[in-house]
Amino acid sequence: MAEVKKISTGKGAVVGYIDDGVGCNTELAGAKIERWSFFEKSIPIGDHSTFGATIIAGSNLGIFPDLKIVSKQVIDPDTGVASTMEVASAIKHALDTGIQTINLSMGADGPDPIIEAALSAYVANGINIAVVSAGNDGPGNGNRDCPARCADRYRGSCSGSANQQSPA
């Protein structure tokens, strides 16, 4: 990561993180974070987005510590569920506010035409980038289909240090 930081620390860049809400930890204490919730009621922030944001913008562990994160909370951390409309609204909000990179570390079994249409509209200008979860279940184990199944997204997954399958 030290080599990447020589090229860029992310200063001036913005990433929309659409998931269970970015919280705070010691790595993110000085980070630029703007928070949006797509829920009508106040719900707690989950750990998943906070961990992902630490990888992206943590002060020591992060790749781009000067990057701004715009957290868009669409997943209820208690249930692990997001509605199609909340996710699509968060994607549209990112498009409407000029955020050129979004991260969706989530997935659903099967296609979701509303989310897929929102992502297609988001990347249609040829400038915006959508990074989405490809799932961590391995082949034939119920891989996540949406939003990773569409051709115009960058897909990511993870595995353990010994390249073993990561738990979902």
Side-chain angles (χ1 to χ4, degrees):
M1 280 193 290
E3 293 300 314
V4 171
K5 289 179 185 178
K6 287 179 185 175
I7 298 168
S8 176
T9 62
K11 187 172 185 162
V14 179
V15 169
Y17 206 107
I18 302 172
D19 207 308
D20 64 356
V22 175
C24 198
N25 58 29
T26 55
E27 278 287 309
L28 294 173
K32 298 174 215 78
I33 302 173
E34 180 181 318
R35 293 176 177 88
W36 290 79
S37 177
F38 286 79
F39 293 97
E40 293 181 11
K41 61 180 175 141
S42 177
I43 63 168
I45 290 174
D47 295 330
H48 190 255
S49 292
T50 304
F51 178 73
T54 300
I55 294 170
I56 296 170
S59 58
N60 294 303
L61 301 174
I63 300 167
F64 301 110
D66 295 327
L67 180 103
K68 178 179 178 182
I69 300 276
V70 178
S71 172
K72 298 176 179 297
Q73 185 179 23
V74 297
I75 296 177
D76 182 330
D78 292 331
T79 64
V81 175
S83 81
T84 291
M85 295 313 295
E86 288 162 346
V87 175
S89 293
I91 295 166
K92 183 174 183 330
H93 185 263
L95 179 62
D96 292 346
T97 57
I99 296 172
Q100 292 184 325
T101 303
I102 57 173
N103 179 84
L104 290 94
S105 295
M106 64 178 74
D109 295 326
D112 188 316
I114 293 171
I115 292 174
E116 291 173 17
L119 280 167
S120 292
Y122 179 79
V123 299
N125 67 8
I127 298 170
N128 295 342
I129 298 171
V131 180
V132 299
S133 171
N136 302 327
D137 297 338
N141 292 329
N143 284 331
R144 304 296 185 200
D145 287 333
C146 178
R149 66 190 223 103
C150 299
D152 54 1
R153 288 111 176 104
Y154 291 91
R155 295 163 197 80
S157 190
C158 70
S159 63
S161 60
N163 202 27
Q164 77 273 14
Q165 180 176 320
S166 179

